Amino acid sequence: MKIPYSFEIDNNLSNLLITPESFANLVLKYKDIQTVIWWLSVDNFFETNKKPSFSVKRFLGLKEKRYQYNFQKEPKHFHWVQSFYAEHFLKSKDISDIKHLSDYLNDIFIDEVKNIKFDSTNKENSIAYNPKKGYEITKILIEKTPHLKWVAIENMTPTEVKELLLKSKIYIDFGHHPGKDRIPREAAICGCIVITNTRGSASFFEDVSIPNNYKIDYSPEKEQEIIKLLETSLFDYDEKSKEFEFYKTKIINEETKFNFDLEEILRNSQNY
């Protein structure tokens, strides 16, 4: 399938420029083209827009300044969100014209995995973690649990990540969850019990759809509670893993929902 592409942006009112929040500064450069910020995260917006020439306040003020203009004279500025976390953030900035458009996993995590029946016979007593996600907390837990097997997701291809998650019983993520993150979903679809904190998107059930007792914010006082959850999840895996069937079903249906939502956005818009 050949998809047409261009190396230049045609700054024309009949066109639509879609950019992730990490390149939000682009919408300030073009006066005519319609613009969409697709918020794939929240936190990364602030991390990648630190240049002196980019004003976060000015960008977030676009709603008040530009929505009042006549559409025939000025372009419309739209917001799409990948997560409910991003929607909550935008609404807190008095931005209300928001459309949901999430994403979906690579086929190697869906087509090849979705029909596997997981139980203790095809899983190891191991805990997978990403050293780039909340490692300062994970490191403490690793040191406190020498009797447990921890395996890092590091320097791996997508296929290697899948193979590791297929073997692991638990995936733990105490990172900041800037958007509806990919690896927790990959872990769930591979039969892992997912344990997170309540930062970022993890604070929204719509984004990380796991039972609340698997979401614990770390503190020294809660160390033993977390360790007990890890131990019971490992040794009572067959029962505990049943609590993640809703999350898995939701992940399997994400591509269908993405296609439906995109069609609805384009069908119902009078502008683009």
Side-chain angles (χ1 to χ4, degrees):
M1 179 180 180
K2 293 185 178 181
I3 300 175
Y5 63 89
S6 172
F7 291 103
E8 297 180 353
I9 294 176
D10 183 4
N11 189 24
N12 188 301
L13 185 61
S14 64
N15 293 332
L16 182 68
L17 171 63
I18 303 172
T19 178
E21 79 294 332
S22 53
F23 291 97
N25 58 319
L26 283 177
V27 306
L28 302 177
K29 294 176 63 176
Y30 298 95
K31 295 181 179 180
D32 298 321
I33 196 170
Q34 299 179 80
T35 56
V36 170
I37 303 300
W38 190 12
W39 292 80
L40 302 176
S41 79
V42 174
D43 308 54
N44 294 344
F45 167 75
F46 296 98
E47 288 298 317
T48 57
N49 291 297
K50 291 181 176 179
K51 294 181 180 179
S53 61
F54 183 81
S55 168
V56 170
K57 183 176 180 180
R58 177 188 172 196
F59 174 79
L60 294 177
L62 282 177
K63 191 257 185 182
E64 291 79 8
K65 294 176 183 177
R66 300 182 70 176
Y67 275 24
Q68 299 172 8
Y69 293 163
N70 186 311
F71 177 73
Q72 298 303 318
K73 297 180 179 180
E74 287 288 336
K76 180 76 173 180
H77 183 70
F78 301 95
H79 295 274
W80 297 351
V81 293
Q82 182 252 16
S83 66
F84 280 80
Y85 173 43
E87 179 187 38
H88 176 78
F89 166 74
L90 291 177
K91 285 183 175 178
S92 74
K93 304 301 179 184
D94 296 325
I95 295 173
S96 58
D97 192 352
I98 303 168
K99 305 296 184 185
H100 272 272
L101 185 66
S102 189
D103 55 15
Y104 51 90
L105 298 184
N106 189 302
D107 286 345
I108 69 168
F109 283 96
I110 301 296
D111 295 342
E112 301 176 23
V113 173
K114 65 181 180 182
N115 293 321
I116 297 177
K117 302 298 182 184
F118 296 101
D119 57 43
S120 295
T121 64
N122 55 18
K123 286 283 192 178
E124 298 178 355
N125 277 340
S126 59
I127 305 167
Y129 69 97
N130 185 347
K132 295 181 180 179
K133 303 284 187 177
Y135 182 64
E136 67 281 359
I137 294 172
T138 308
K139 183 174 183 292
I140 295 172
L141 295 171
I142 292 173
E143 292 172 350
K144 296 282 186 176
T145 56
H147 59 293
L148 301 181
K149 180 180 180 181
W150 296 78
V151 185
I153 300 174
E154 196 170 24
N155 300 320
M156 293 182 179
T157 65
T159 298
E160 289 171 334
V161 172
K162 181 191 73 173
E163 294 303 321
L164 171 60
L165 294 174
L166 284 172
K167 293 187 295 184
S168 304
K169 286 185 177 178
I170 296 174
Y171 171 71
I172 191 169
D173 189 335
F174 283 106
H176 59 288
H177 299 273
K180 194 174 75 172
D181 288 358
R182 173 177 48 84
I183 297 185
R185 289 180 281 162
E186 293 175 348
I189 207 68
C190 287
C192 292
I193 290 171
V194 177
I195 298 174
T196 71
N197 51 17
T198 61
R199 295 183 63 185
S201 65
S203 65
F204 292 83
F205 180 79
E206 296 89 344
D207 294 333
V208 183
S209 305
I210 64 177
N212 285 336
N213 55 302
Y214 293 93
K215 296 181 178 183
I216 304 177
D217 290 315
Y218 173 84
S219 68
E221 294 77 19
K222 291 188 176 182
E223 269 182 14
Q224 290 308 308
E225 180 183 350
I226 297 171
I227 292 171
K228 184 177 179 180
L229 178 61
L230 292 170
E231 292 174 339
T232 56
S233 296
L234 287 172
F235 299 114
D236 196 15
Y237 171 82
D238 290 346
E239 284 300 314
K240 300 291 185 183
S241 61
K242 294 177 183 178
E243 300 181 52
F244 291 81
E245 289 304 315
F246 175 82
Y247 192 29
K248 290 168 64 176
T249 300
K250 186 175 179 181
I251 294 165
I252 289 170
N253 292 327
E254 283 182 332
E255 183 174 2
T256 299
K257 181 167 174 44
F258 172 88
N259 292 328
F260 176 83
D261 288 345
L262 182 58
E263 288 178 4
E264 285 294 298
I265 289 172
L266 297 178
R267 182 184 301 114
N268 295 327
S269 173
Q270 297 179 353
N271 301 322
Y272 54 83

Coordinates of all heavy atoms in Angstrom, one line a residue, residues 233-267:
S233 N 0.2 -12.1 44.1 CA -0.1 -12.2 42.7 C 0.7 -13.3 42.0 O 0.2 -13.9 41.0 CB 0.3 -10.8 42.0 OG -0.6 -9.8 42.5
L234 N 1.9 -13.5 42.5 CA 2.8 -14.6 41.9 C 2.3 -15.9 42.3 O 2.1 -16.8 41.4 CB 4.2 -14.4 42.4 CG 5.1 -13.3 41.8 CD1 6.4 -13.2 42.5 CD2 5.3 -13.5 40.3
F235 N 1.9 -16.1 43.5 CA 1.6 -17.5 44.0 C 0.2 -17.8 43.9 O -0.2 -19.0 44.1 CB 2.2 -17.6 45.4 CG 3.7 -17.4 45.5 CD1 4.2 -16.4 46.2 CD2 4.5 -18.3 44.8 CE1 5.6 -16.2 46.2 CE2 5.9 -18.2 44.9 CZ 6.4 -17.1 45.5
D236 N -0.7 -16.8 43.6 CA -2.1 -17.1 43.4 C -2.5 -16.5 42.0 O -3.6 -16.0 41.8 CB -2.9 -16.4 44.5 CG -4.4 -17.0 44.5 OD1 -4.6 -18.0 43.9 OD2 -5.2 -16.3 45.1
Y237 N -1.6 -16.7 41.1 CA -1.7 -16.1 39.8 C -3.0 -16.6 39.0 O -3.7 -15.7 38.4 CB -0.5 -16.5 38.9 CG -0.7 -16.1 37.4 CD1 -0.4 -14.8 37.0 CD2 -1.1 -17.0 36.5 CE1 -0.6 -14.4 35.7 CE2 -1.3 -16.7 35.2 CZ -1.0 -15.4 34.8 OH -1.2 -15.0 33.4
D238 N -3.3 -17.8 39.1 CA -4.5 -18.3 38.3 C -5.8 -17.6 38.7 O -6.6 -17.4 37.9 CB -4.6 -19.9 38.6 CG -3.5 -20.6 37.9 OD1 -2.8 -20.1 37.0 OD2 -3.4 -21.8 38.2
E239 N -5.9 -17.3 40.0 CA -7.1 -16.6 40.4 C -7.0 -15.1 40.2 O -7.9 -14.4 39.7 CB -7.4 -16.8 41.9 CG -8.0 -18.2 42.2 CD -9.3 -18.4 41.5 OE1 -10.2 -17.5 41.5 OE2 -9.5 -19.5 40.8
K240 N -5.9 -14.5 40.5 CA -5.7 -13.1 40.4 C -5.7 -12.6 39.0 O -6.2 -11.5 38.7 CB -4.3 -12.6 41.0 CG -4.2 -12.9 42.5 CD -5.1 -12.1 43.4 CE -4.9 -12.3 44.8 NZ -5.8 -11.6 45.7
S241 N -5.2 -13.4 38.0 CA -5.2 -13.0 36.6 C -6.6 -12.8 36.0 O -6.7 -12.1 35.0 CB -4.3 -14.0 35.8 OG -4.9 -15.3 35.9
K242 N -7.6 -13.5 36.6 CA -8.9 -13.4 36.1 C -9.5 -12.0 36.3 O -10.4 -11.6 35.5 CB -9.8 -14.4 36.9 CG -9.5 -15.8 36.6 CD -10.4 -16.7 37.4 CE -10.1 -18.2 37.3 NZ -10.9 -19.1 38.1
E243 N -8.9 -11.2 37.2 CA -9.4 -9.8 37.4 C -9.0 -8.9 36.3 O -9.4 -7.7 36.3 CB -8.8 -9.3 38.7 CG -9.3 -10.1 39.9 CD -8.8 -9.6 41.2 OE1 -8.9 -8.4 41.5 OE2 -8.2 -10.4 42.0
F244 N -8.2 -9.4 35.3 CA -7.7 -8.5 34.2 C -8.4 -8.8 32.9 O -7.9 -8.3 31.8 CB -6.2 -8.6 34.1 CG -5.5 -8.0 35.3 CD1 -5.3 -8.8 36.5 CD2 -5.0 -6.8 35.3 CE1 -4.7 -8.2 37.6 CE2 -4.3 -6.2 36.4 CZ -4.2 -6.9 37.5
E245 N -9.4 -9.6 32.9 CA -10.1 -10.0 31.7 C -10.7 -8.8 31.0 O -10.7 -8.6 29.8 CB -11.1 -11.1 31.9 CG -10.5 -12.4 32.2 CD -9.5 -12.9 31.1 OE1 -9.9 -12.8 29.9 OE2 -8.4 -13.4 31.5
F246 N -11.3 -7.9 31.8 CA -12.0 -6.7 31.2 C -10.9 -5.8 30.5 O -11.2 -5.4 29.4 CB -12.6 -5.9 32.3 CG -13.2 -4.6 31.9 CD1 -14.4 -4.5 31.2 CD2 -12.5 -3.4 32.0 CE1 -15.0 -3.3 30.8 CE2 -13.0 -2.2 31.5 CZ -14.2 -2.1 30.9
Y247 N -9.8 -5.6 31.1 CA -8.7 -4.8 30.5 C -8.2 -5.4 29.2 O -8.1 -4.7 28.2 CB -7.6 -4.7 31.6 CG -6.5 -3.7 31.2 CD1 -6.7 -2.5 30.5 CD2 -5.2 -3.9 31.7 CE1 -5.7 -1.6 30.3 CE2 -4.2 -3.0 31.5 CZ -4.5 -1.8 30.8 OH -3.5 -0.9 30.5
K248 N -8.1 -6.7 29.2 CA -7.6 -7.4 28.0 C -8.6 -7.3 26.9 O -8.2 -7.0 25.7 CB -7.3 -8.9 28.4 CG -6.1 -9.1 29.2 CD -6.0 -10.5 29.8 CE -5.8 -11.5 28.7 NZ -5.7 -12.9 29.2
T249 N -9.9 -7.5 27.2 CA -10.9 -7.4 26.1 C -10.9 -6.0 25.6 O -11.0 -5.8 24.3 CB -12.3 -7.7 26.7 OG1 -12.2 -9.1 27.2 CG2 -13.3 -7.6 25.7
K250 N -10.8 -5.0 26.4 CA -10.7 -3.6 26.0 C -9.6 -3.3 25.1 O -9.7 -2.7 24.0 CB -10.7 -2.7 27.2 CG -10.8 -1.2 26.9 CD -10.8 -0.4 28.2 CE -10.9 1.1 27.9 NZ -10.9 1.9 29.1
I251 N -8.4 -3.9 25.4 CA -7.2 -3.7 24.6 C -7.4 -4.4 23.2 O -7.0 -3.8 22.2 CB -6.0 -4.3 25.3 CG1 -5.7 -3.5 26.6 CG2 -4.7 -4.3 24.4 CD1 -4.8 -4.1 27.6
I252 N -7.9 -5.6 23.2 CA -8.2 -6.3 21.9 C -9.0 -5.5 21.0 O -8.9 -5.5 19.8 CB -8.8 -7.7 22.2 CG1 -7.8 -8.6 22.9 CG2 -9.3 -8.3 20.9 CD1 -8.3 -9.9 23.4
N253 N -10.0 -4.7 21.5 CA -10.9 -4.0 20.7 C -10.5 -2.6 20.4 O -11.2 -1.8 19.7 CB -12.3 -3.9 21.5 CG -13.0 -5.2 21.6 OD1 -12.8 -6.1 20.7 ND2 -13.7 -5.4 22.7
E254 N -9.2 -2.2 20.7 CA -8.8 -0.8 20.6 C -8.7 -0.4 19.1 O -9.0 0.7 18.7 CB -7.5 -0.6 21.3 CG -7.6 -0.4 22.8 CD -6.3 -0.1 23.4 OE1 -5.2 -0.6 22.9 OE2 -6.3 0.5 24.5
E255 N -8.2 -1.3 18.2 CA -8.1 -0.9 16.8 C -9.5 -0.7 16.2 O -9.7 0.3 15.5 CB -7.4 -2.0 16.0 CG -7.2 -1.6 14.6 CD -6.4 -2.6 13.8 OE1 -6.0 -3.7 14.3 OE2 -6.1 -2.4 12.6
T256 N -10.5 -1.5 16.5 CA -11.8 -1.3 16.0 C -12.4 0.1 16.5 O -13.0 0.8 15.8 CB -12.8 -2.4 16.5 OG1 -12.3 -3.6 16.0 CG2 -14.2 -2.2 16.0
K257 N -12.1 0.4 17.8 CA -12.6 1.6 18.4 C -11.9 2.8 17.7 O -12.5 3.9 17.5 CB -12.4 1.7 19.9 CG -12.9 2.9 20.5 CD -13.0 2.8 22.0 CE -13.3 4.2 22.7 NZ -14.4 4.9 22.0
F258 N -10.6 2.7 17.5 CA -9.8 3.7 16.8 C -10.4 4.1 15.5 O -10.6 5.3 15.1 CB -8.3 3.3 16.6 CG -7.5 4.3 15.8 CD1 -6.9 5.4 16.4 CD2 -7.4 4.1 14.4 CE1 -6.1 6.2 15.6 CE2 -6.7 5.0 13.7 CZ -6.0 6.0 14.3
N259 N -10.7 3.1 14.6 CA -11.2 3.3 13.3 C -12.6 3.9 13.4 O -12.9 4.8 12.6 CB -11.3 2.0 12.5 CG -9.9 1.4 12.2 OD1 -9.0 2.2 12.0 ND2 -9.8 0.1 12.1
F260 N -13.4 3.5 14.3 CA -14.7 4.0 14.5 C -14.7 5.5 14.9 O -15.4 6.4 14.4 CB -15.5 3.2 15.5 CG -16.9 3.8 15.9 CD1 -18.0 3.5 15.1 CD2 -17.1 4.6 17.0 CE1 -19.2 4.1 15.3 CE2 -18.3 5.2 17.3 CZ -19.4 4.9 16.5
D261 N -13.8 5.8 15.9 CA -13.7 7.2 16.4 C -13.2 8.1 15.4 O -13.7 9.2 15.3 CB -12.8 7.2 17.7 CG -13.4 6.6 18.9 OD1 -14.6 6.4 18.9 OD2 -12.7 6.3 19.9
L262 N -12.2 7.7 14.6 CA -11.7 8.5 13.5 C -12.7 8.8 12.5 O -12.9 10.0 12.0 CB -10.5 7.9 12.9 CG -9.8 8.7 11.8 CD1 -9.3 10.0 12.3 CD2 -8.6 7.9 11.2
E263 N -13.5 7.8 12.1 CA -14.6 8.0 11.1 C -15.6 9.0 11.7 O -16.1 9.9 10.9 CB -15.2 6.7 10.8 CG -14.3 5.8 9.9 CD -15.0 4.5 9.6 OE1 -16.2 4.3 10.0 OE2 -14.4 3.6 9.0
E264 N -15.9 8.9 13.0 CA -16.9 9.8 13.6 C -16.4 11.2 13.6 O -17.1 12.1 13.3 CB -17.2 9.3 15.0 CG -18.1 8.1 15.0 CD -19.5 8.3 14.5 OE1 -20.2 9.2 15.1 OE2 -19.9 7.8 13.5
I265 N -15.1 11.4 14.0 CA -14.6 12.7 14.0 C -14.6 13.4 12.7 O -15.1 14.5 12.5 CB -13.1 12.7 14.5 CG1 -13.0 12.3 16.0 CG2 -12.4 14.0 14.3 CD1 -11.6 12.0 16.5
L266 N -14.2 12.7 11.6 CA -14.2 13.3 10.3 C -15.6 13.4 9.7 O -15.9 14.4 9.0 CB -13.4 12.4 9.4 CG -11.9 12.2 9.7 CD1 -11.2 11.3 8.8 CD2 -11.2 13.6 9.8
R267 N -16.5 12.5 10.0 CA -17.9 12.6 9.5 C -18.6 13.8 10.1 O -19.4 14.4 9.5 CB -18.6 11.3 9.8 CG -20.1 11.3 9.2 CD -20.8 10.0 9.6 NE -20.1 8.8 9.1 CZ -19.6 7.9 9.8 NH1 -19.6 8.0 11.2 NH2 -19.0 6.8 9.3

